[in-house]
Amino acid sequence: MRSTRTPERFALVPAGWWRNAGRIVVCCALLVVALAVPHVGQARPGWFDGLVGAQLAEWFPGDLRPLDALASLGSTGPVLAETAIVASIGYLNRRWTALLLPAVGTPLAVSTTELLKPVVGRTINGHWAMPSGHTTAVVSLLVAALLMSRRSRPGVGPLAAVLIAALALGAVGMALGLVRLGFHYATDVAAGACVATAVVLLTARALDVLDRKSPST
């Protein structure tokens, strides 16, 4: 792919944004800790989890098959397809950093989640629960799509907007499904979203630094 290394206007996280982005990363990390500490080694819902679970039971009392389909959006197969679609936006924009962001950021975010699960030790139905890996995967792709669509070539912007809307709706639907079906507690989902946001922002920053240091071709 032809290099399109240009000044800050095409950076994933411009230098002027990094201070705020850094604050978001720190806040996400602190929130994960705050969510995890009360539930270390537990296999039961907290008060907030119980509140959300009861509310969702009222909202979705009947056929849960649509929620089951939405919950599967964070499974391996769908995530691979979603990653390819998000990466294609970077390819169409001819920016190697945007192409790599979902391909690198999402696996890093999911790997971070998998490392954290046994550390937190929270379980649901005998499985590690916090943070939610499904949520981490889909939210990481959503954050990546938001960052890489900031500057788009003519004709690519509308495609990116449609993709972002689809990912956002899918993430919300998936979160509802995961909690309503008892695959995760609400705090697991929140922790997964925080991990995804922090890791993708850090990955974007690292790719920007590499882009500045790479020779033009």
Side-chain angles (χ1 to χ4, degrees), residues 45-59 179 185-187:
W47 69 269
F48 180 74
D49 300 315
L51 185 67
V52 173
Q55 186 62 64
L56 291 181
E58 290 185 14
W59 287 351
V179 177
Y185 300 118
T187 45

Side-chain angles (χ1 to χ4, degrees), residues 16-65:
W17 291 14
W18 179 240
R19 180 172 295 181
N20 289 331
R23 291 190 181 114
I24 293 173
V25 170
V26 171
C27 287
C28 285
L30 292 175
L31 186 54
V32 170
V33 173
L35 290 169
V37 168
H39 303 294
V40 170
Q42 294 186 357
R44 62 180 184 274
W47 69 269
F48 180 74
D49 300 315
L51 185 67
V52 173
Q55 186 62 64
L56 291 181
E58 290 185 14
W59 287 351
F60 304 102
D63 186 4
L64 299 180
R65 284 177 294 181

